[in-house]
Amino acid sequence: MDEGLLLKIGSVEDRHWWFAVRRRIVLDALDSVSLPDTARVIEIGCGTGGFLSYLQQAHPNWHLAGIEPSAAAVEVALGRGCRVTEGALPRLDLPNGIADAVLALDVLEHCDNDTVAAAEIARVLKPGGWLVATVPALPSLWSVHDEDNAHFRRYTQRTLESALASSGFASWRITYFNMFLLPVGYASRFAANLTGSRRALGVDAPPGWLNAGLRTVFSLEVPVLRRARMPVGMSLLVVARTSEERS
C-alpha cells in the first residue's frame, strides 16, 4: 500500500466510522475465544498502531506486538507506545509457535499468494492458536478503491475457506459483515468506477453528521454478530484455529 495513504488512514482511524465499528467487531471476536490471561498476541500489518493501542487498554495483561512493513508507520506506532517491528508476510522473522493469537485486519488481500501468507501465520501460532482476520468481500464490489489500496482480490466465503484449508488451519468460523450499508457501497463504487473519482471512496472521515450516521447504522450489526452470522456484506470476518497437534 502507498505509504502516504497508510499514514492518512492512521490519522483518521480513531474517529472514522468504519474503523471504529470494525474495532468493536474484532474485539468481540477476540473475546469469544479462549486465550490465557497473559496471551501473546501479534498483529500483522498493524499500520500506525491504532488497533494495538485499543487492545492494550482492553487487555493490559496481554503481551502485544505488531509487525508492519512501512518504516514510517512503525515510527508512529512506536510513538504511541506500541511494540512494533518492521516485517511483512509472506515471511515473518518469528520462531515457530510463538503466538496464542494473530490478528490480520485487512491484510491477506494485499498478499500475492494468500495461501502461503496464511500458512506462515499458522506456523507462528501455537498448536490450537487463533487467527482473527478481516478481508474485503464480494468481487462485484471491486473498484478504484481496491486499486488504490493495492488489493489483489476481494473474497467470497468460499475463496477465504479455500485459503485457510490449504494453510494448516483445522477449523474456522466465517461471517460476512457490513451488510446494512451494502446498497450504499454498491452505489458509491458504481459512481467511482463510472467517473474515475476517488472522492466518494476516500479515507478522509466524512462530515460529522454523516460519520455519525454511518457509524450508527454499522453499529447495529455488532450485537447481531455476537449471536449469528450474516449472509452477505462488504467484508468477511474469520476466526480460525490451528490443530491442537503439530505434524
Side-chain angles (χ1 to χ4, degrees):
M1 181 189 292
D2 176 76
E3 194 167 74
L5 181 59
L6 180 63
L7 294 175
K8 191 173 186 180
I9 290 172
S11 70
V12 303
E13 65 179 308
D14 284 348
R15 63 185 186 279
H16 193 288
W17 64 274
W18 155 253
F19 294 101
V21 180
R22 187 190 67 171
R23 186 164 57 240
R24 293 172 60 190
I25 291 170
V26 173
L27 286 171
D28 277 353
L30 276 171
D31 288 342
S32 73
V33 303
S34 300
L35 290 177
D37 292 339
T38 57
R40 186 177 298 275
V41 180
I42 299 171
E43 183 182 0
I44 299 172
C46 65
T48 58
F51 187 76
L52 273 179
S53 298
Y54 278 89
L55 204 54
Q56 287 174 345
Q57 298 174 36
H59 295 281
N61 293 326
W62 285 2
H63 300 286
L64 301 172
I67 297 174
E68 168 57 43
S70 164
V74 168
E75 185 176 352
V76 175
L78 291 173
R80 282 178 155 174
C82 299
R83 182 169 165 246
V84 179
T85 57
E86 282 190 59
L89 291 168
R91 182 168 295 179
L92 302 173
D93 187 18
L94 295 170
N96 295 345
I98 192 174
D100 295 290
V102 166
L103 301 172
L105 307 182
D106 290 86
V107 168
L108 290 175
E109 69 273 15
H110 295 279
C111 300
D112 184 11
N113 191 323
D114 57 350
T115 299
V116 171
E120 179 70 349
I121 293 173
R123 180 188 69 79
V124 304
L125 282 168
K126 296 176 180 180
W130 296 92
L131 165 67
V132 176
T134 58
V135 293
L138 305 181
S140 58
L141 278 173
W142 185 270
S143 72
V144 291
H145 172 79
D146 297 283
E147 296 168 5
D148 287 350
N149 283 274
H151 293 172
F152 282 96
R153 67 194 71 79
R154 297 184 72 93
Y155 287 84
T156 64
Q157 181 171 334
R158 179 176 296 180
T159 58
L160 183 54
E161 287 177 338
S162 177
L164 294 169
S166 304
S167 306
F169 287 93
S171 61
W172 50 81
R173 176 185 181 274
I174 296 177
T175 180
Y176 287 94
F177 68 98
N178 203 1
M179 180 179 78
F180 296 162
L181 290 171
L182 185 57
V184 177
Y186 271 115
S188 63
R189 280 157 175 78
F190 177 78
N193 289 335
L194 187 66
T195 64
S197 171
R198 265 71 173 172
R199 179 176 299 178
L201 300 173
V203 297
D204 294 314
W209 63 270
L210 181 57
N211 193 60
L214 293 169
R215 182 169 178 167
T216 297
V217 174
F218 193 10
S219 294
L220 295 174
E221 299 187 9
V222 174
V224 177
L225 290 166
R226 290 173 185 155
R227 302 188 304 270
R229 303 179 189 183
M230 289 189 161
V232 70
M234 286 188 274
S235 292
L236 282 156
L237 167 73
V238 59
V239 178
R241 197 175 194 190
T242 58
S243 173
E244 293 279 2
E245 298 180 0
R246 284 282 165 87
S247 58

